[in-house]
């Protein structure tokens, strides 16, 4: 067709079709289809990009160019990255994977880290908050640690662990070795405050 480029073998059994996605009045960009006519990728004239699921009917990986946002499972991402799944009993999951295989885990080995950063070149430390999951040395038991900043000036800061949940489920605030279900520790004060502001 005049609006398409065919890239295929001699029998047109295997290949792809690059097609201008236009009508007589509107330009929708272009499509990459398989030879069965199923949409694979669409790039709109506004630079939105859609990657389709196997049936070629629904975009499941979508780049919103104007909002500079990425949607996985949605074409209307509400934030810079949105992962959506239409499943009442098993919702969307975001995985951070350490692909190391085998034995040899030691105490303090990091399974994965989630950093919260600023992009100020004058800051001494750009990571301002962190959630890190450590191994306890067995290779089968882990614990998360939550870190925040300790500031000496507005930009000079040091990342320090503030809370940990150990492999037994004990929560330590101010201590990396909680000895009870909730262990509060401080060099100056150690207390629990409950306030009612009504």
């Amino acid at each position: 067709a005049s609006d398409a480029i065919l890239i295929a073998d001699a029998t047109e059994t295997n290949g792809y079709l690059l097609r201008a996605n236009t009508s007589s009045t509107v330009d929708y960009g272009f499509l990459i289809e398989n030879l069965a006519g199923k949409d694979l990728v669409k790039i709109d004239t506004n630079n939105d990009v859609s990657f389709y699921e196997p049936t070629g009917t629904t975009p499941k990986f979508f780049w919103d160019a104007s909002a500079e946002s990425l949607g996985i499972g949605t074409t209307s991402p509400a934030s810079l990255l949105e992962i959506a799944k239409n499943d009442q009993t098993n919702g969307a999951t975001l995985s951070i994977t350490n692909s190391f295989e085998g034995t040899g885990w030691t105490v303090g080995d990091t399974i994965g880290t989630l950093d919260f950063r600023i992009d100020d070149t004058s800051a001494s430390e750009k990571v301002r908050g962190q959630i890190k999951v450590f191994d306890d040395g067995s290779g089968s038991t882990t614990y998360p640690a939550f870190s925040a900043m300790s500031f000496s000036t507005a930009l000079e800061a040091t990342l320090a662990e503030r809370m940990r949940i150990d492999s037994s489920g004990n929560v330590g605030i101010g201590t990396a070795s909680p000895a009870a279900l909730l262990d509060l520790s401080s060099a100056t004060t150690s207390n629990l405050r409950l306030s009612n502001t009504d």
Side-chain angles (χ1 to χ4, degrees):
S2 59
D3 64 348
I5 297 174
L6 176 65
I7 305 171
D9 61 11
T11 62
E12 296 185 12
T13 302
N14 299 299
Y16 302 94
L17 198 65
L18 177 62
R19 181 185 298 277
N21 187 28
T22 61
S23 68
S24 59
T25 57
V26 181
D27 182 359
Y28 297 102
F30 68 86
L31 287 167
I32 299 175
E33 302 175 348
N34 64 18
L35 296 184
K38 293 180 180 178
D39 294 344
L40 303 177
V41 181
K42 180 174 74 171
I43 300 179
D44 290 326
T45 53
N46 64 357
N47 291 338
D48 286 354
V49 183
S50 302
F51 293 84
Y52 288 79
E53 38 71 72
T55 67
T57 57
T58 306
K60 290 297 184 180
F61 189 89
F62 176 76
W63 169 250
D64 185 329
S66 61
E68 296 183 355
S69 300
L70 183 64
I72 300 175
T74 176
T75 56
S76 302
S79 57
L80 288 178
L81 172 63
E82 181 177 355
I83 302 172
K85 184 179 181 182
N86 184 11
D87 189 331
Q88 181 179 353
T89 59
N90 188 20
T93 300
L94 175 63
S95 296
I96 299 176
T97 302
N98 186 324
S99 59
F100 172 77
E101 296 183 12
T103 59
W105 293 95
T106 60
V107 176
D109 284 348
T110 302
I111 305 300
T113 304
L114 181 62
D115 282 343
F116 300 87
R117 297 171 54 87
I118 64 171
D119 196 23
D120 191 328
T121 57
S122 61
S124 61
E125 173 56 65
K126 291 181 171 55
V127 178
R128 294 305 165 104
Q130 186 179 83
I131 302 172
K132 184 176 287 189
V133 177
F134 295 98
D135 192 271
D136 73 346
S138 67
S140 60
T141 306
T142 61
Y143 57 89
F146 302 81
S147 298
M149 300 307 301
S150 175
F151 291 91
S152 55
T153 67
L155 293 174
E156 298 294 323
T158 303
L159 190 67
E161 182 178 320
R162 302 301 186 192
M163 185 176 77
R164 174 180 296 197
I165 304 173
D166 71 12
S167 57
S168 299
N170 294 335
V171 177
I173 299 177
T175 175
S177 303
L181 190 61
L182 178 60
D183 192 341
L184 307 178
S185 179
S186 171
T188 55
T189 60
S190 182
N191 54 45
L192 176 64
R193 179 179 179 181
L194 304 176
S195 299
N196 187 331
T197 57
D198 289 341

